[in-house]
Amino acid sequence: MRNPKITLAILLTNLFIAFLGIGLVIPVLPTIMNELNITGAVVGYMVAAFAITQLIISPFSGRWVDKYGRKVMIVLGLFIFGFSEFLFGIGRSVEILFISRMLGGVSAAFIMPAVTAFIADITTNDTRSKALGYMSAAISTGFIIGPGVGGILAEIGTRIPFYSAGLLGGIAAILSLVLLREPERAAKETPKSGQTSGLRRIFIPMYFIAFILIFVSSFGLAAFESLFSLFVDHKFGFTPKDIAIVITGGALVGAVAQILLFDRLTKRIGEINVIRFCLAISAVLVLLMTFVSTYFIILLTTFVLFTGFDLMRPAITSYLSKIAGNEQGFVGGMNSTFTSIGNIFGPIIGGALFDINLNYPYYFATIVLLLGTGIALFWKKPELAES
């Protein structure tokens, strides 16, 4: 069996490459919109098409990860991702762009549960939190670097970032095909309640509370991020440069926190307590955004808020991987499903509320996060044997 550290490094490298590819295309989307005379509403529908497709496919892909293996789903997902980016690059009609985004949703539904399950297979309960923190950091770093590289490539040609993203997806797929070996799945204890069949397993308390909190965190982050640029533009007159500094800086701080703090925190106070604190702090800071006025305080608030979200998500994933036993693919698929639901409804509800009053989306997100905090207070981890 290959050294788990080497295998983890390969997985993280491929995740970084894939999410770097996703980030590459961000700077040129407005140009493509202008070239094809696409309205903002159509772009919103394309974003929703990605999330809806991921939502539909994730429950099935979770089962396929357990049935057909981690490696095959990762390789397929990366090839589909590469193809979807090439398709977007050559697309000259709205229909082709929609097909591209839907294929992107399929690729995300394939890759994330498989990688999470793969990491669970090659780690122990003691090392898993650190590995999942690295996984989140690899994703965040790819997103951070991608737009800058994409902006440089766009100087050569507006379609070059898409072709580059497609090429990176293909390279990551080939690396996975050649270098990864399907992990051995040690027999792991699953709590008795885990024997419930079919999708009814979603409603098992040890799973269901975690899934609800995945939705809460995804909804809160999506509502915050999707409207942040409009919010600070309308309320504070932020320039695109100001917005880029805040978002990029916040993402960098979050990535560093995942690497340096996440493992220490989970070992010291446990995943559930990390989630509770992050939910409570995030609720307070989202509300605080409606009161702050100075540039420095906005910057500080956003940085801490991103850190809270970036610690919360891998904490939930780590908790699920430890209790899932031999259902790693299932919980990975459900993680992706509930994330997609939050990503769909966060921007939709937030956008509708923004049209009424620019503070309302953050008030509503605060309420959702506080409800999540209340749910988390009644959350207890089931007793499991060490893996």
Side-chain angles (χ1 to χ4, degrees), residues 135-339:
M135 174 181 138
S136 293
I139 292 170
S140 299
T141 307
F143 270 131
I144 293 163
I145 296 174
V149 177
I152 295 170
L153 292 174
E155 295 296 318
I156 304 172
T158 55
R159 304 281 173 162
I160 297 297
F162 296 98
Y163 300 144
S164 301
L167 180 62
L168 287 175
I171 290 171
I174 293 169
L175 283 174
S176 296
L177 184 64
V178 173
L179 298 177
L180 287 180
R181 298 176 187 172
E182 184 67 21
E184 296 175 6
R185 304 185 208 176
K188 298 177 182 178
E189 181 180 346
T190 304
K192 291 181 180 179
S193 57
Q195 301 302 317
T196 306
S197 62
L199 291 179
R200 285 180 296 172
R201 287 174 295 173
I202 295 172
F203 299 101
I204 298 170
M206 67 173 188
Y207 287 157
F208 186 61
I209 293 176
F211 294 151
I212 290 299
L213 295 182
I214 289 168
F215 165 76
V216 168
S217 63
S218 299
F219 180 98
L221 181 60
F224 177 80
E225 278 190 320
S226 63
L227 296 167
F228 178 78
S229 58
L230 290 176
F231 179 79
V232 293
D233 171 69
H234 283 57
K235 193 165 187 176
F236 307 117
F238 270 31
T239 65
K241 181 181 177 181
D242 294 327
I243 295 168
I245 289 171
V246 173
I247 293 178
T248 304
L252 277 170
V253 170
V256 171
Q258 287 165 344
I259 294 171
L260 299 181
L261 296 179
F262 180 68
D263 186 52
R264 291 188 178 95
L265 283 172
T266 53
K267 285 183 177 177
R268 188 175 182 86
I269 64 174
E271 286 91 354
I272 291 177
N273 281 326
V274 169
I275 295 160
R276 287 169 178 159
F277 285 126
C278 288
L279 279 168
I281 292 169
S282 297
V284 171
L285 291 178
V286 169
L287 181 62
L288 184 62
M289 281 297 295
T290 64
F291 294 100
V292 297
S293 57
T294 66
Y295 182 82
F296 175 75
I297 298 298
I298 295 167
L299 203 66
L300 182 63
T301 303
T302 308
F303 282 11
V304 178
L305 186 58
F306 273 122
T307 302
F309 280 120
D310 286 340
L311 291 174
M312 192 190 326
R313 287 176 294 181
I316 299 174
T317 301
S318 177
Y319 162 83
L320 283 169
S321 72
K322 288 179 179 178
I323 68 165
N326 58 5
E327 297 183 324
Q328 297 293 334
F330 166 74
V331 298
M334 288 300 105
N335 191 330
S336 183
T337 297
F338 281 85
T339 298

